[in-house]
Amino acid sequence: MASTKAKAFSRGVAPTAQTTVYTVPAGGQAIVTNIVCTNSTSAAIGVTVKLDAFPILSSVGIAPHGVVALDITQPIEAGDTIQVQASADGLVVHISGVEVS
């Protein structure tokens, strides 16, 4: 029987270079359920989030002091990655879901 565990795949300030923030462990699967991005600055910031190199958010602009919340159910397989990139400093990203092993 498969076991599941709630997981924060990424939580923190988004990097300004495309960065892998999570890799699904060998023999496992993950399901991304929530992506929340918060702009703590007084200027708009763009964010890109990719699941296994496919954009889920592609240069989406977040208003000054704004929030974008995305509720999804997107499975990713062993070895797949989550990548994040912000267009400027000051963006906080929280990506959560479930790990299945």
Side-chain angles (χ1 to χ4, degrees), residues 6-12 14 19 21-22 31-37 47-51 56-57 70 72 76 81-85 92-98:
K7 177 101 176 154
F9 300 123
S10 177
R11 181 184 305 150
T19 302
V21 295
Y22 175 78
I31 302 168
V32 178
T33 58
N34 302 92
I35 301 172
V36 179
C37 305
V47 63
T48 297
V49 176
K50 295 180 180 181
L51 303 183
I56 296 297
L57 298 173
L70 183 63
I72 60 175
I76 51 177
T81 62
I82 299 173
Q83 297 175 323
V84 174
Q85 180 177 8
V92 176
V93 176
H94 183 103
I95 303 172
S96 60
V98 177

Side-chain angles (χ1 to χ4, degrees), residues 38-46 61-66 87-91:
T38 303
N39 179 355
S40 62
T41 73
S42 58
I45 297 178
I62 301 177
H65 305 289
S87 63
D89 292 328
L91 188 74

